[in-house]
Amino acid sequence: KNPRGIAYAKGQVFISLASTGQIAVLDDEGKFVRMIGEPGQLPGVVDLVCDTARNRLIIVDNKAHNVFVYSLAGDSLFALGQRGEAEGEFNFPQSAAVDPDGNIYVVDAFNYRVEIFDAHGTYLRQFGSQGDAYGMFSRPKGIALDSHRNIYVLDAVHQNYQIFNQEGQLLMFVGKYSAR
């Protein structure tokens, strides 16, 4: 009931369920395999990302202001963040992506930035700020990486996506630009 996020890896479908605060795991044929987490443990999951190279599931929970990392088997490995504005903290994280090295990129929506952590959860760097100029965010929502490790960030208010390099420098924007 009330699914919020979905991911696929190694013959399994992972679906976050807001109704129970857990992740349901199904096989390729849609048959129930198991639940990840105790009831209510993951109350506000908004995104799931599979890191198949490391057999991990990245779980973005904006109610808990955390990003949880679990094994694909369902074991809790570690958590990133807590509510706040400092480096490594979140204010309603919305989405995540993972690169080939296992680095985790998180859209921190109401801190108007992207935060980057290494494969073990150590904070590395961030970029972005609130505003309506090129390279700034108003309501960042989604994130993706391309094969060159450029970072694509979707902004719901500006109705665009912006492309950044690994240093957080704006390369291009696509869509509407709305300077106020």
Side-chain angles (χ1 to χ4, degrees):
K1 293 182 179 179
N2 203 0
R4 294 282 171 94
I6 188 168
Y8 178 85
K10 299 186 177 185
Q12 296 182 330
V13 179
F14 300 85
I15 301 172
S16 66
L17 303 174
S19 60
T20 65
Q22 296 171 286
I23 308 297
V25 183
L26 309 174
D27 67 15
D28 272 337
E29 297 175 2
K31 294 179 186 166
F32 177 80
V33 175
R34 69 182 172 285
M35 295 296 269
I36 294 176
E38 296 299 319
Q41 187 175 355
L42 303 164
V45 176
V46 292
D47 194 25
L48 298 173
V49 178
C50 287
D51 178 3
T52 55
R54 276 156 285 291
N55 292 313
R56 302 186 313 180
L57 180 65
I58 314 300
I59 302 168
V60 180
D61 189 321
N62 71 4
K63 230 179 207 179
H65 305 280
N66 286 103
V67 174
F68 301 100
V69 180
Y70 277 72
S71 72
L72 293 180
D75 300 313
S76 176
L77 301 175
F78 58 90
L80 305 173
Q82 62 183 9
R83 189 165 196 178
E85 298 175 3
E87 293 178 348
E89 295 179 342
F90 303 117
N91 190 11
F92 292 95
Q94 290 296 313
S95 184
V98 63
D99 71 18
D101 295 328
N103 295 321
I104 302 167
Y105 300 71
V106 180
V107 172
D108 185 9
F110 291 118
N111 284 326
Y112 311 97
R113 64 188 178 191
V114 171
E115 293 193 85
I116 305 167
F117 300 83
D118 73 10
H120 306 288
T122 302
Y123 171 85
L124 296 175
R125 62 189 172 282
Q126 67 184 13
F127 67 89
S129 61
Q130 183 179 16
D132 58 10
Y134 297 109
M136 301 176 108
F137 304 119
S138 185
R139 181 84 42 88
K141 288 281 193 178
I143 190 165
L145 302 172
D146 67 20
S147 61
H148 301 287
R149 297 188 187 201
N150 293 317
I151 306 161
Y152 295 64
V153 182
L154 179 69
D155 193 301
V157 169
H158 294 314
Q159 300 178 45
N160 68 16
Y161 66 89
Q162 300 182 72
I163 306 170
F164 300 86
N165 66 16
Q166 282 288 304
E167 288 75 43
Q169 298 167 322
L170 179 67
L171 301 175
M172 173 188 222
F173 79 95
V174 177
K176 201 174 180 181
Y177 171 74
S178 59
R180 292 184 181 131

